[in-house]
């Protein structure tokens, strides 16, 4: 019986393998057949990716797209937001080009397409991989219904500098969490079959180290050791590759003095040879010609450098199209390299099913019925509420039924602002404001009063810079004093004040670096006046990055961080404020006390003089004027209930070789309402051949507990989890002592020591 079963299994497995091989063979035959027909010019055309002028996400946009398409000089186009236009252009390409090759249509579908989810930094605060995957799935199905086949997401640039505006687009400071997110997102976008009409190609970006820009200034230089790259910054990109991501975008910055767009070590050696990446590599927006500014050669040289490095597609630069033929004639690049790049792009088009049906993703019917649906919006509302992080709560939240609420602040009624940065597919006029969400939710069961209270910034120019791309927050021309006076008058009639305050949507995102990360003065003044009333105040904080909130932490009774939670933000925030949803988000990035502490991250090294005593201690590693502590640590977030952690239980304290260690802990909801908790496992490798971080996240588990309920949460630790790249960049684990830590955040952990021998 067993034998028979085994036989059937072997036969069907080999049938699957055979089907796969024959599928691959068919693809190979098709693509090489097509390659044989293409002229050199047409091959170079496939490598060219101009931007549509529909909307512009970079410094320049491309011209004469239609003419170039007709001449076979375009492989794909990005950022067209209309299924009709995409269909038209696709038809134009297929009908008018010699070999009828369909175009690839891309877009920055970063946190949703039309139904917008929280910004990625907020999504990462959910610590819920199934929700993250679901958000990517919905984004893919909406985008594909509108003709899009390729998204430039996920962005997994690890970062430790909240001055850098692009922290909003990533997953924060931790490689383990970000790797899990990368995997979930790639799968969410790509599904199991790229040729399905509702899945799209994913593109992990910005490879690599873009988040380590010096001084947090966008596009700035990066420089770091290989050990740090491999152990800390590379893993999330690699996780996306391991998850089968179809494409990779190289970054604007340099690595070891060579810009990523032309860095052969980075692309050819690490990505392709070491990680076995088989998809195609695209440059970032004009990233190739920008290498001239970096100082590594003229236009022709940098384009040759880029192709030699292993970049296949040129975003907006147009230099692959215009210089590679000359470089080939001069022996600076080879035909084989051009062929390889072209082949990779054709393979992606094949995998999408475009050669079977170029209009597979241009279904107007789907576009009309499957985008921004009430079902998708309901999911977005649910997911948004899961991203909120309760930073403080002195019995203000949730707000009980029947209360009069004064909703005050420049972000309370700012529709266009809700979706946050990189929401290019959104119709911002359709977002739900907090004023609408709260008013609807309260209904007749209480009252919502409203006053604007202040502008986003005192200075109109400063405000403009943070509200571009249609994220307008109209200015109020009354004086700051008048605005506050009105807010106080409205608050006088309320039981509780909700202050909707923080950053504008474009205060973070690309090219939105800041040297100061306080709440803008105009709003802080308002907040101080509200707190001075002595009424309960809940600060609803809008932000695309960690902010310095010392005064707020000290003086405001409650703080709920809502990031930019997307098109349904207003309803979702109301759900949390009124207790329909219990906040359960946890920070994926430390909040510093002061900009001077940056870079500040939980998984730092110990140094030779760690602060062992109290701050301040002379001749130990600390500052005179500020402690080493973050304001809010990585992994932190409160709930409307409380959780009690039992002691850590271990399957053994002495392990050997490939044994498994089970770490478990009992967690109890000791409060009075149901809540979710992210139980976190950290490990410290006490002694290593190179120094190791004081703690590293190695596991997390989000559980739900009813009031009074307890659960035993367990983690399995294997030697695989203890591996790191040593000084020779060899990936292995080292025997010795390890500290096992479990807790509700990176700071409040229980600790036990184990020993693991080889
Ligand atoms: C950004 C990328 C983006 C690309 C296309 C660039 O400026 O760095 O993240 O995908 O533009 O819009």
């Amino acid at each position: 019986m067993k034998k028979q079963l085994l036989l059937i299994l072997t036969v069907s497995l080999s049938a699957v393998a055979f089907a796969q091989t024959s599928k691959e063979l068919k693809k190979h035959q098709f693509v090489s057949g097509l390659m044989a027909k293409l002229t050199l010019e047409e091959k170079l055309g496939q490598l060219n990716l101009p931007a549509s002028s529909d909307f512009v996400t970079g410094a320049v946009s491309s011209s004469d797209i239609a003419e170039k398409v007709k001449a076979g000089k375009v492989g794909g186009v990005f950022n067209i937001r209309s299924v009709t236009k995409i269909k038209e252009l696709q038809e134009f390409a297929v009908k008018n080009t010699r070999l009828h090759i369909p175009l690839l249509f891309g877009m920055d579908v970063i946190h949703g397409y039309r139904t917008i989810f929280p910004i990625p930094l907020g999504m990462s605060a959910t610590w819920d991989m199934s929700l993250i995957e679901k958000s990517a799935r919905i984004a893919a199905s909406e985008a594909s219904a509108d003709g899009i086949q390729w998204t430039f997401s996920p962005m997994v640039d690890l970062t430790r500098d909240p001055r850098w505006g692009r922290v909003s687009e990533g997953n924060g400071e931790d490689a383990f969490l970000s790797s899990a997110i990368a995997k979930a997102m790639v799968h969410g976008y790509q599904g199991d079959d790229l040729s399905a009409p509702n899945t799209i190609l994913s593109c992990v970006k910005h490879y690599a180290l873009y988040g380590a820009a010096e001084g947090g200034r966008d596009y700035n230089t990066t420089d770091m050791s290989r050990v740090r790259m491999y152990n800390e910054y590379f893993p999330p990109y690699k996780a996306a590759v391991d998850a089968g991501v179809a494409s990779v975008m190289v970054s604007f910055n340099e690595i070891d003095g060579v810009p990523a767009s032309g860095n052969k070590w980075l692309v050819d050696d690490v990505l392709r040879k070491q990680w076995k990446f088989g998809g195609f590599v695209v440059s970032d927006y004009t990233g190739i010609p920008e290498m001239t500014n970096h100082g590594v050669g003229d236009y022709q040289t940098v384009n040759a450098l880029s192709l030699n490095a292993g970049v296949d597609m040129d975003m907006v630069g147009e230099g692959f199209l215009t210089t590679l033929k000359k470089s080939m004639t001069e022996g600076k690049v080879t035909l084989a390299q051009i062929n390889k790049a072209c082949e990779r792009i054709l393979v992606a088009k094949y995998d999408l099913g475009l050669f079977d049906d170029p209009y597979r993703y241009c279904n107007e019917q789907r576009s009309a019925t499957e985008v921004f649906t009430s079902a998708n919006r309901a999911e977005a509302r649910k997911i948004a509420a899961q991203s909120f992080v309760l930073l403080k709560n002195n019995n203000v939240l949730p707000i009980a039924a029947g209360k009069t609420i004064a909703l005050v602040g420049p972000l309370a009624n700012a529709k266009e602002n809700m979706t946050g940065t990189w929401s290019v597919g959104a119709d911002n006029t359709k977002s739900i404001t907090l004023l609408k969400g709260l008013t609807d939710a309260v209904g007749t069961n209480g009252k919502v009063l409203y006053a604007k209270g202040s502008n986003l910034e005192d200075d109109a120019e400063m405000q403009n810079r943070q509200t571009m791309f249609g994220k307008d927050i109209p200015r109020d021309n009354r004086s700051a004093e008048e605005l506050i006076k009105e807010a106080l008058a409205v608050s006088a009639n309320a039981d509780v004040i909700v202050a909707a305050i923080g950053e504008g949507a474009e205060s973070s995102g690309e090219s939105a670096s800041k040297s100061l990360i306080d709440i803008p003065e105009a709003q802080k003044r308002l907040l101080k006046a509200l707190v001075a009333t002595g009424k309960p105040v809940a600060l609803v904080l809008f932000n695309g990055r960690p902010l310095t909130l010392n005064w707020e932490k000290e003086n405001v009774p409650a703080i709920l961080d809502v990031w930019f939670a997307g098109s349904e933000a207003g309803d979702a925030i109301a759900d949390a404020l009124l207790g329909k949803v219990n906040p359960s988000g946890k920070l994926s990035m430390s909040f510093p006390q002061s900009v001077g502490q940056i870079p500040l991250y939980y998984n730092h090294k110990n140094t030779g003089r760690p602060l062992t005593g109290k701050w301040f201690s002379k001749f130990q590693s600390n500052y005179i004027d500020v402690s080493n502590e973050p304001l809010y640590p990585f992994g932190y977030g409160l709930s409307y209930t409380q959780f009690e952690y039992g002691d850590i239980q271990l399957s053994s304290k002495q392990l050997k070789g490939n044994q498994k260690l089970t770490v478990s802990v009992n967690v109890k909801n000791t409060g009075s309402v149901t809540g979710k908790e992210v139980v976190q496992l950290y490990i410290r490798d006490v002694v290593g051949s190179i120094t190791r971080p004081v703690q590293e996240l190695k596991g997390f588990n989000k559980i739900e507990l009813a009031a009074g309920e307890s659960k035993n949460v367990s983690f399995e630790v294997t030697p695989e989890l203890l591996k790191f790249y040593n000084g020779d960049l060899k990936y292995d684990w080292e025997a010795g002592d390890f500290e096992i830590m479990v807790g509700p955040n990176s700071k409040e952990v229980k600790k036990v020591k184990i020993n693991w021998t080889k």
Side-chain angles (χ1 to χ4, degrees):
M1 182 66 184
K2 252 190 186 165
K3 251 189 190 165
Q4 253 175 344
L5 207 67
L6 205 69
L7 192 71
I8 296 171
L9 210 67
T10 323
V11 171
S12 54
L13 275 180
S14 52
V16 171
F18 175 75
Q20 264 167 358
T21 330
S22 73
K23 223 169 126 190
E24 284 299 306
L25 203 68
K26 219 173 123 204
K27 171 160 81 180
H28 180 73
Q29 276 168 351
F30 178 87
V31 171
S32 43
L34 189 54
M35 284 294 296
K37 292 184 204 147
L38 286 166
T39 64
L40 176 62
E41 284 73 15
E42 284 166 336
K43 286 175 187 167
L44 294 176
Q46 289 301 311
L47 317 188
N48 192 30
L49 179 69
S52 123
S53 51
D54 247 24
F55 44 91
V56 176
T57 55
V60 294
S61 68
S62 319
S63 58
D64 311 327
I65 292 183
E67 235 153 83
K68 283 179 188 142
V69 167
K70 198 170 171 184
K73 290 180 173 175
V74 175
V77 180
F78 69 102
N79 283 353
I80 302 182
R81 195 179 53 184
S82 146
V83 68
T84 318
K85 280 193 198 170
I86 289 181
K87 197 172 177 190
E88 248 174 52
L89 190 55
Q90 189 69 298
E91 206 163 354
F92 183 79
V94 171
K95 290 202 171 135
N96 290 294
T97 55
R98 195 176 68 89
L99 293 168
H100 318 292
I101 300 177
L103 295 168
L104 186 60
F105 288 97
M107 190 191 261
D108 289 288
V109 179
I110 306 297
H111 50 111
Y113 174 66
R114 198 67 55 92
T115 303
I116 302 291
F117 299 95
I119 54 166
L121 188 63
M123 284 300 300
S124 67
T126 66
W127 293 57
D128 187 327
M129 298 310 119
S130 65
L131 286 189
I132 289 174
E133 180 166 338
K134 194 181 277 173
S135 75
R137 182 86 295 280
I138 291 173
S141 80
E142 287 197 356
S144 61
D146 244 3
I148 312 295
Q149 313 135 356
W150 181 28
T151 177
F152 307 132
S153 168
M155 189 274 222
V156 299
D157 302 321
L158 193 120
T159 182
R160 292 164 171 174
D161 195 332
R163 291 171 298 182
W164 190 50
R166 301 199 82 168
V167 304
S168 56
E169 298 172 53
N171 310 320
E173 72 192 34
D174 183 69
F176 185 85
L177 178 61
S178 187
S179 297
I181 293 173
K183 186 174 160 199
M185 292 204 68
V186 170
H187 196 247
Y189 290 130
Q190 298 193 165
D192 297 317
D193 175 12
L194 275 174
S195 71
N198 62 351
T199 56
I200 59 177
L201 305 176
S202 166
C203 179
V204 68
K205 69 186 186 185
H206 306 83
Y207 181 66
L209 322 181
Y210 185 34
E214 285 177 359
R217 180 160 56 82
D218 207 2
Y219 318 123
N220 203 7
T221 308
T222 60
D223 194 13
M224 71 172 69
S225 71
R226 293 265 159 116
V227 159
R228 174 165 270 184
M229 283 183 210
Y230 274 87
N231 282 317
E232 300 167 34
Y233 282 73
F234 277 175
Y237 307 110
K238 182 168 186 299
V241 170
D242 291 344
V245 74
S247 61
V248 172
M249 187 187 293
V250 281
S251 53
F252 288 125
N253 55 284
E254 66 174 62
I255 287 139
D256 292 336
V258 182
S261 316
N263 195 315
K264 193 169 167 51
W265 172 77
L266 188 74
V267 180
D268 205 36
D269 289 2
V270 179
L271 182 65
R272 292 204 197 279
K273 297 205 175 91
Q274 292 175 27
W275 299 353
K276 313 269 183 277
F277 173 65
F280 70 101
V281 176
V282 63
S283 79
D284 201 350
Y285 210 111
T286 57
I288 300 173
E290 284 168 24
M291 282 197 279
T292 300
N293 289 339
H294 278 279
V296 292
D298 62 15
Y299 192 54
Q300 185 191 343
T301 309
V302 296
N303 277 285
L305 200 65
S306 193
L307 186 79
N308 275 317
V311 174
D312 305 303
M313 203 171 204
D314 171 11
M315 187 190 281
V316 187
E318 302 247 306
F320 274 13
L321 187 71
T322 55
T323 69
L324 287 185
K325 188 175 174 185
K326 184 163 185 269
S327 290
M328 198 183 103
T329 328
E330 292 169 4
K332 291 173 180 153
V333 301
T334 64
L335 179 62
Q337 286 171 322
I338 295 171
N339 282 344
K340 198 72 218 158
C342 183
E343 228 173 77
R344 289 185 183 125
I345 288 153
L346 295 178
V347 163
K349 292 182 178 182
Y350 185 97
D351 288 341
L352 283 167
L354 290 176
F355 291 110
D356 284 339
D357 177 7
Y359 312 108
R360 185 174 290 242
Y361 302 88
C362 299
N363 181 335
E364 271 136 334
Q365 168 72 15
R366 274 191 67 209
S367 168
T369 54
E370 293 180 22
V371 177
F372 206 58
T373 59
S374 44
N376 289 354
R377 296 180 65 189
E379 279 299 340
R381 174 178 180 167
K382 256 199 267 168
I383 293 175
Q386 297 298 312
S387 74
F388 302 155
V389 182
L390 185 64
L391 294 174
K392 182 179 176 186
N393 191 16
N394 271 354
N395 293 322
V396 177
L397 296 176
I399 301 168
K403 301 279 182 202
T404 297
I405 303 168
L407 176 61
V408 179
L411 301 173
N413 193 24
K415 194 177 267 192
E416 280 75 10
N417 203 63
M418 305 307 272
T419 53
T421 189
W422 282 114
S423 42
V424 291
D427 177 351
N428 288 327
T429 62
K430 299 232 167 85
S431 301
I432 310 292
T433 64
L434 179 51
L435 179 57
K436 172 150 176 36
L438 197 56
T439 309
D440 288 352
V442 166
T444 52
N445 215 349
K447 215 170 173 183
V448 178
L449 311 170
Y450 164 71
K452 183 159 184 176
S454 81
N455 280 309
L456 187 72
E457 293 269 0
D458 283 325
D459 178 21
E461 171 54 25
M462 275 296 284
Q463 177 158 331
N464 283 343
R465 290 180 193 170
Q466 299 168 69
T467 53
M468 27 190 352
F469 303 133
K471 311 281 168 59
D472 230 30
I473 304 175
R475 274 189 84 74
D476 196 309
N477 289 326
R478 286 175 288 173
S479 71
E481 293 70 31
E482 278 174 280
L483 286 166
I484 290 183
K485 207 169 143 201
E486 183 192 49
L488 292 178
V490 164
S491 303
N493 300 317
D495 303 310
V496 53
I497 303 171
V498 171
I501 270 174
E503 295 193 294
E506 295 297 331
S507 301
S508 58
E510 186 169 353
S511 187
S513 299
K514 276 183 172 176
S515 70
L516 294 175
I517 52 172
D518 281 352
I519 289 176
E521 205 37 53
Q523 298 183 67
K524 208 155 175 173
R525 220 185 291 122
L526 168 66
L527 190 58
K528 284 185 175 167
L530 297 174
V531 169
T533 63
K535 297 211 173 196
V537 178
L539 164 58
V540 171
L541 184 69
F542 291 77
N543 53 329
R545 55 157 61 80
L547 298 175
T548 41
L549 301 166
N550 302 322
W551 183 87
E552 291 77 3
K553 183 181 178 190
E554 198 60 41
N555 296 288
V556 185
I559 309 176
L560 181 70
D561 192 330
V562 299
W563 317 107
F564 294 98
S567 45
E568 316 311 312
D571 285 337
I573 300 169
D575 288 342
L577 290 178
L578 303 178
K580 200 169 146 198
V581 175
N582 186 353
S584 62
K586 301 268 189 174
L587 298 178
S588 61
M589 201 171 171
S590 309
F591 277 40
Q593 297 181 63
S594 118
V595 168
Q597 294 177 301
I598 298 170
L600 180 76
Y601 49 98
Y602 85 95
N603 47 355
H604 57 83
K605 300 290 184 74
N606 203 34
T607 81
R609 292 188 177 192
L611 181 64
T612 48
K614 265 191 17 214
W615 174 63
F616 167 82
S617 295
K618 195 73 184 164
F619 304 120
Q620 295 199 339
S621 182
N622 56 167
Y623 301 97
I624 286 177
D625 58 346
V626 63
S627 79
N628 292 350
E629 296 304 310
L631 193 67
Y632 294 112
F634 174 81
Y636 176 84
L638 303 172
S639 161
Y640 294 154
T641 191
Q642 292 81 41
F643 300 101
E644 199 179 86
Y645 281 66
D647 288 333
I648 299 176
Q649 309 290 327
L650 298 174
S651 57
S652 169
K653 279 195 163 188
Q654 180 63 58
L655 292 109
K656 188 171 162 53
N658 273 339
Q659 283 181 334
K660 280 182 190 148
L661 167 70
T662 307
V663 178
S664 48
V665 67
N666 196 66
V667 183
K668 182 170 187 199
N669 180 346
T670 56
S672 54
V673 289
T674 299
K676 287 183 182 161
E677 170 70 336
V678 182
V679 183
Q680 300 161 41
L681 167 77
Y682 297 88
I683 298 183
R684 176 175 185 181
D685 186 350
V686 182
V687 178
S689 58
I690 58 170
T691 60
R692 309 284 295 121
V694 294
Q695 59 183 148
E696 290 175 288
L697 183 73
K698 291 291 181 183
F700 56 90
N701 198 338
K702 193 166 186 176
I703 53 164
E704 184 169 67
L705 293 174
E709 194 190 353
S710 345
K711 261 186 197 159
N712 195 53
V713 177
S714 66
F715 300 95
E716 200 161 82
V717 180
T718 62
E720 193 58 36
L721 215 50
L722 308 175
K723 285 185 177 173
F724 64 97
Y725 291 89
N726 68 16
D728 299 321
L729 297 182
K730 197 167 155 261
Y731 190 59
D732 204 356
W733 64 286
E734 294 176 359
D737 288 344
F738 297 87
E739 277 172 12
I740 306 290
M741 295 163 249
V742 179
N745 62 61
S746 59
K747 283 281 165 207
E748 293 166 70
V749 288
K750 297 201 171 182
K751 246 185 232 184
V752 285
K753 209 173 220 172
I754 60 152
N755 181 274
W756 210 315
T757 60
K758 282 258 173 178

